[in-house]
């Protein structure tokens, strides 16, 4: 599929500053307290922004990108906590789907992650974008990436027990705080998306030791993947 205008989202400054430095941006605007940079990257028309942390910020940002800027696909980049036991810090995850782990209406008989009275609760990433991201991973981080389900929630996961539960009961490969919101809004609008995350911690309670140290490294890895994907779209 050919994309004319690409939306790029990161949740934190570290996740967008490398892209912004390499981007030829010619217009900056603010909506809902979010700054959007329009410009070119590898000759592609892009709109880059920092959503802020959490699902509400991510959802608002995504809808603005679609409505106000007319993007026809969205790439979300940044860091995450590993759930899969074979993922290490700095490894890459490319989403095949996204789901909310903190959507929990199990008291009414719904499985964890299921949005009540809605046909779909797990949102599939665009196969062509997944393919391009995987190809970038093979070129740059061969043997250090996985494809799988990204779980999102307004919670910084720091419990070994919860890590095991999210991996085993929901088949999650990593956890973060925005991807499923981006995915759901994209699904509602028919907009292709993919989430690309680099592991900054193991979501096991050790983040106070390594999160700050490895966020910069992980953000750089995410940037390298996005840079490669955009050069091949």
């Amino acid at each position: 599929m050919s994309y004319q205008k690409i939306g790029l989202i990161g949740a934190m400054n570290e996740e967008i500053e490398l892209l912004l430095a390499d981007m030829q941006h010619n217009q900056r605007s603010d909506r809902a307290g979010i700054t959007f940079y329009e410009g070119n990257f590898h000759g592609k028309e892009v709109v880059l922004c920092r959503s802020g942390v959490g699902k509400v910020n991510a959802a608002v940002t995504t809808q603005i990108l679609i409505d106000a800027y007319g993007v026809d696909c969205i790439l979300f980049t940044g860091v995450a906590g590993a759930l899969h036991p074979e993922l290490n810090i700095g490894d890459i995850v490319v989403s095949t789907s996204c789901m909310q782990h903190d959507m929990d209406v199990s008291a009414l008989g719904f499985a964890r992650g299921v949005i009540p009275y809605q046909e779909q609760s797990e949102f599939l990433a665009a196969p062509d974008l997944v393919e391009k991201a995987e190809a970038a991973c093979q070129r740059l981080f061969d043997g250090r990436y996985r494809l799988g389900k990204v779980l999102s929630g307004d919670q910084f996961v720091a419990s070994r027990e919860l890590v095991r539960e999210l991996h085993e009961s929901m088949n999650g490969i990593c956890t973060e705080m925005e991807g499923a919101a981006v995915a759901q809004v994209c699904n509602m609008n028919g907009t292709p998306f993919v989430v690309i995350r680099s592991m900054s911690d193991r979501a096991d309670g050790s983040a106070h030791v390594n999160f700050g140290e490895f966020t910069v490294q992980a953000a750089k890895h995410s940037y390298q993947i996005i840079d490669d994907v955009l050069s091949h779209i």
Side-chain angles (χ1 to χ4, degrees), residues 9 14-16 18-19 75-80 90-93 136 140-141 195-200 215-229:
I9 310 175
E14 292 90 343
E15 296 166 353
I16 71 162
L18 292 172
L19 288 165
L75 281 61
F76 194 104
T77 179
V79 301
D91 289 354
I92 302 291
V93 164
L140 297 169
F141 298 100
V195 174
I196 300 167
R197 293 286 194 175
S198 180
M199 302 304 100
S200 61
T215 293
V216 174
Q217 173 192 332
K220 183 178 180 180
H221 288 183
S222 295
Y223 158 78
Q224 290 175 287
I225 297 296
I226 293 290
D227 178 69
D228 190 280
V229 170

Side-chain angles (χ1 to χ4, degrees), residues 8-91:
L8 303 174
I9 310 175
M12 301 188 299
N13 284 327
E14 292 90 343
E15 296 166 353
I16 71 162
E17 60 186 10
L18 292 172
L19 288 165
L20 188 59
D22 277 358
M23 174 182 164
Q24 296 176 319
H25 57 279
N26 50 32
Q27 189 168 341
R28 169 181 167 168
S29 52
D30 296 285
R31 294 175 184 266
I34 303 158
T35 300
F36 296 84
Y37 301 91
E38 298 174 77
N40 289 277
F41 198 101
H42 287 306
K44 313 295 190 306
E45 190 175 359
V46 300
V47 184
L48 172 67
C49 60
R50 179 179 67 85
S51 65
V53 175
K55 292 186 297 180
V56 173
N57 282 326
V60 170
T61 301
T62 303
Q63 193 65 56
I64 291 173
L65 278 171
I66 294 168
D67 285 346
Y69 295 94
V71 302
D72 48 19
C73 75
I74 289 179
L75 281 61
F76 194 104
T77 179
V79 301
L83 296 176
H84 194 289
E86 294 181 9
L87 279 171
N88 295 306
I89 291 171
D91 289 354

Side-chain angles (χ1 to χ4, degrees), residues 46-216:
V46 300
V47 184
L48 172 67
C49 60
R50 179 179 67 85
S51 65
V53 175
K55 292 186 297 180
V56 173
N57 282 326
V60 170
T61 301
T62 303
Q63 193 65 56
I64 291 173
L65 278 171
I66 294 168
D67 285 346
Y69 295 94
V71 302
D72 48 19
C73 75
I74 289 179
L75 281 61
F76 194 104
T77 179
V79 301
L83 296 176
H84 194 289
E86 294 181 9
L87 279 171
N88 295 306
I89 291 171
D91 289 354
I92 302 291
V93 164
V94 177
S95 69
T96 53
S97 66
C98 296
M99 196 171 191
Q100 298 178 66
H101 68 75
D102 62 349
M103 175 61 68
D104 187 355
V105 196
S106 54
L108 297 182
F110 295 92
R112 183 172 186 161
V114 170
I115 304 170
Y117 319 117
Q118 183 167 302
E119 289 186 4
Q120 194 171 355
S121 300
E122 181 176 352
F123 305 101
L124 302 181
D128 62 315
L129 295 177
V130 174
E131 182 180 340
K132 287 179 171 60
E134 181 178 15
C137 288
Q138 289 173 342
R139 285 186 287 268
L140 297 169
F141 298 100
D142 195 20
R144 295 196 59 192
Y145 74 92
R146 284 183 175 270
L147 276 60
K149 184 195 293 185
V150 173
L151 298 182
S152 306
D154 288 322
Q155 175 184 5
F156 194 99
V157 175
S159 157
R160 289 182 175 86
E161 292 74 21
L162 183 54
V163 165
R164 187 179 308 111
E165 179 183 349
L166 294 180
H167 178 57
E168 294 177 358
S169 68
M170 296 188 71
N171 198 32
I173 192 169
C174 72
T175 179
E176 35 87 297
M177 301 175 73
E178 297 85 24
V182 173
Q184 184 172 345
V185 173
C186 283
N187 178 266
M188 293 167 73
N189 287 273
T191 301
F193 79 92
V194 69
V195 174
I196 300 167
R197 293 286 194 175
S198 180
M199 302 304 100
S200 61
D201 64 275
R202 296 187 57 82
D204 60 0
S206 62
H208 66 286
V209 175
N210 56 32
F211 182 77
E213 178 182 351
F214 289 109
T215 293
V216 174

